[in-house]
Amino acid sequence: MLATPPIAEDDYLCETTASQKQVESTIKPIYEGLFQGIHPGEVYDQEIATDSHLKFLEYFMDNALPEPFYRLDASQQWLIYWISNAHVVLSGNDLSEDMKKKISQKVNALIVEEGKGGIAGGPNGQIGHVASTYAAVLSLILAEDYGTLDRIKDNMLQWLFTLKNKDGSFAMHPGGECDTRSTYCVLVISSLLDLPTQELWRGCREWVSSCQTFEGGFAGVPGTEAHGGYTFCALASFFLLGRRDCDFDRSSLLRWLADRQLSLEGGFSGRTNKLVDVCYSFWVGASFALMEADTSESALFNKQALISYIANCSQEADGGGLRDKPGKSPDLYHTNYALCGISMAEHSYRNINGDAYTFEAHELHEGSSYTLPVSPVFGIPLRYVEKYRAHIEKK
Ligand code: FPP
Ligand code: ZN
C-alpha cells in the first residue's frame, strides 16, 4: 500500500493538460489498433522502415533544400551531420566516396582563418560558431577526413580560449550565449582533437555541476529549468572531463530521468509537464545510457516502449523520415535523433575508465538490431570514435 495517496486529478483544464490530452487522443487509437487481437504475453514485433528512411536521407544528400529552408542557412553543418550520421547509424555502412568528398569540400569552405575563427554554419561572411564546429568535426570524422582536422586543430585551440569564461563555461561565439550546450560542444571539440586541456577546462566541472536543479535534471545555466537536452550535455560533459563521484546527485537525476518516459506514449518528454517528442529518444535516452554505464544496470528505462513509440507514432513509413509526434512532418533533425534513440534502446553500455572513450555496447537482442551502437557521449557510432582515436594515438 502507498504510504502517501497519489495526488488526485482536480480536472482543472489548464494549457498543459489540454495539450497533453490532445496528444494522447492521437496516440491512443494507434496503440488500440495495433494491439487488437494481441494477447497478454505475446510480443508485438516492431518494424523500422529502414529502406524508406535511407531513401529519404539519400534524397537530401543529392538535392538542394527547397526555398523555405533558407532559414537553415546558418545550420548547414548540422544538416550535413544529421543526414550523414543517420545514414551510417541505420545502414551500418560507411558513407560513399562521393558523400565523403562532398562533406570535406563543404566543411573546408566554411573553415574561418584555418580554424583560428572556428568553423561557420553557412557562407557569406558568417562567423565561426561552436555548435557548427561541433557538427563539422563529427561529420569530418564520419567522412574519415582526418587530414583537415590535423591541419586546423592547433589553430582551433587559440579560438576556444577566446570563448572561455571566468566561471568555467564557454560561449557559442564571442559575445554569444553561454550554457551547457556550448560548454559540452567545446569539450567534445577539444577532447576529440586531443588538444592540451588542463588550462582550457579549468573550472568547467564545477560550473556544469552547478547546473543541476532541485528537480534532479540539468538546466542550461544555473537557476533555470531542468531540460532533457541540457541534461544530456551536462552528463556527457562529465565523461569528457573524466567522471568523478562528486559531479552530481545521482538519485535525484535518476528520478527525474525516469519521469521523462510517458506511460501511454512510451516516448520521452524533455521536461516536467511537457509533451512527448521523438528527439528526446536520444537526449534523454543517451542520458539513461550514461547512467547505465555509471551504475552497471542494463535497462534503466522501458526500452521496448521507447522503440514502440518511435516505430508506431513517429515513423513516416512510406515516404521515409521520422517526426516529433503524430501530426508533424518528418525532418532531418528528428530522423537523426530518433535513430540514435533506437540505438540507446537496442544496446546497453558499459564504461571501463569513467571517460569518453572506453564504452562497450552490448546488443539487448543479439543479431536483431536496426542500428549501430552509437556513442552516448559523441552521438556518432562508437566505431568511428575508436578509429579516429587510433589515428590520434598513432601520431
Ligand atoms: C525545444 O525546447 C528544444 C529542443 C527540442 C532541443 C533541446 C536540445 C538541446 C538543448 C541539446 C542541444 C545539444 C547540442 C549538442 C547543441 P521546447 O521548449 O521547444 O520544447 P519542450 O516543450 O519539449 O521543452
Ligand atoms: Zn524535437
Side-chain angles (χ1 to χ4, degrees):
M1 213 172 86
L2 289 170
T4 322
I7 297 169
E9 285 284 348
D10 58 11
D11 288 330
Y12 178 73
L13 202 61
C14 61
E15 207 178 312
T16 51
T17 43
S19 316
Q20 176 61 24
K21 278 183 202 296
Q22 198 279 327
V23 172
E24 286 177 9
S25 74
T26 65
I27 306 278
K28 215 167 160 206
I30 296 175
Y31 285 143
E32 278 170 352
L34 271 173
F35 290 108
Q36 257 168 24
I38 301 222
H39 301 291
E42 277 181 9
V43 177
Y44 178 76
D45 197 14
Q46 313 290 343
E47 299 249 351
I48 300 293
T50 301
D51 290 348
S52 300
H53 301 319
L54 291 178
K55 281 202 189 98
F56 174 82
L57 293 164
E58 282 154 17
Y59 175 83
F60 290 105
M61 284 178 174
D62 295 335
N63 293 282
L65 288 169
E67 207 178 300
F69 284 86
Y70 74 88
R71 289 185 192 84
L72 295 181
D73 188 49
S75 302
Q76 296 189 24
Q77 305 292 356
W78 278 116
L79 292 164
I80 295 167
Y81 160 67
W82 295 330
I83 296 169
S84 47
N85 191 53
H87 198 279
V88 165
V89 167
L90 188 61
S91 70
N93 298 324
D94 289 344
L95 295 166
S96 68
E97 290 308 314
D98 177 51
M99 188 60 189
K100 287 183 186 177
K101 211 157 97 196
K102 277 188 190 160
I103 292 175
S104 294
Q105 280 171 353
K106 185 80 196 176
V107 173
N108 268 283
L110 298 177
I111 294 173
V112 180
E113 288 180 59
E114 279 300 276
K116 284 184 198 144
I119 304 178
N124 305 322
Q126 292 184 34
I127 59 169
H129 191 285
V130 161
S132 308
T133 306
Y134 159 86
V137 167
L138 295 180
S139 300
L140 289 173
I141 291 176
L142 290 170
E144 300 180 65
D145 177 358
Y146 302 161
T148 298
L149 294 170
D150 291 343
R151 197 184 79 228
I152 60 174
K153 61 184 235 159
D154 293 336
N155 288 342
M156 205 87 96
L157 181 63
Q158 290 179 34
W159 178 62
L160 295 179
F161 265 112
T162 67
L163 304 173
K164 183 172 169 60
N165 296 316
K166 282 206 181 75
D167 64 8
S169 67
F170 289 88
M172 283 289 190
H173 55 84
E177 65 271 41
C178 311
D179 53 35
T180 43
R181 292 170 314 155
S182 47
T183 302
Y184 157 77
C185 289
V186 169
L187 292 174
V188 167
I189 298 161
S190 48
S191 172
L192 278 173
L193 298 184
D194 200 31
L195 301 176
T197 53
Q198 198 183 8
E199 189 50 37
L200 186 71
W201 291 358
R202 200 180 295 282
C204 193
R205 181 190 306 278
E206 293 72 16
W207 184 81
V208 178
S209 293
S210 73
C211 293
Q212 190 173 24
T213 79
F214 69 94
E215 286 192 278
F218 286 77
V221 292
T224 58
E225 186 181 6
H227 191 281
Y230 297 122
T231 298
F232 162 76
C233 291
L235 207 45
S237 293
F238 292 127
F239 282 85
L240 288 154
L241 290 160
R243 182 71 186 92
R244 290 195 194 146
D245 274 347
C246 61
D247 289 333
F248 56 87
D249 183 312
R250 188 189 279 202
S251 62
S252 68
L253 175 60
L254 264 181
R255 173 75 262 160
W256 182 86
L257 283 171
D259 285 339
R260 302 280 57 76
Q261 191 160 31
L262 294 155
S263 51
L264 171 70
E265 297 88 325
F268 297 134
S269 72
R271 49 188 166 134
T272 306
N273 278 335
K274 297 292 310 245
L275 307 173
V276 68
D277 178 342
V278 83
C279 64
Y280 299 121
S281 305
F282 183 70
W283 304 125
V284 174
S287 302
F288 268 120
L290 291 170
M291 291 304 284
E292 286 172 9
D294 215 42
T295 52
S296 300
E297 297 280 348
S298 64
L300 288 171
F301 66 101
N302 186 334
K303 298 189 166 184
Q304 194 53 50
L306 179 66
I307 294 178
S308 181
Y309 176 74
I310 299 173
N312 298 306
C313 306
S314 99
Q315 283 197 103
E316 188 64 70
D318 296 334
L322 294 109
R323 59 190 180 196
D324 162 349
K325 57 174 75 55
K328 304 263 184 179
S329 302
D331 62 68
L332 295 165
Y333 165 84
H334 286 97
T335 298
N336 179 55
Y337 291 112
L339 295 172
C340 290
I342 295 176
S343 183
M344 298 302 106
E346 288 185 325
H347 302 92
S348 70
Y349 291 85
R350 292 273 162 280
N351 183 265
I352 317 298
N353 296 330
D355 66 356
Y357 297 98
T358 53
F359 281 90
E360 277 175 3
H362 301 273
E363 269 185 297
L364 290 179
H365 300 288
E366 220 181 307
S368 65
S369 300
Y370 285 101
T371 58
L372 288 182
V374 166
S375 161
V377 170
F378 297 108
I380 59 174
L382 283 172
R383 75 176 193 218
Y384 292 90
V385 178
E386 283 156 12
K387 191 164 176 194
Y388 180 62
R389 199 68 191 167
H391 163 80
I392 287 280
E393 276 162 11
K394 219 169 51 205
K395 290 192 82 208

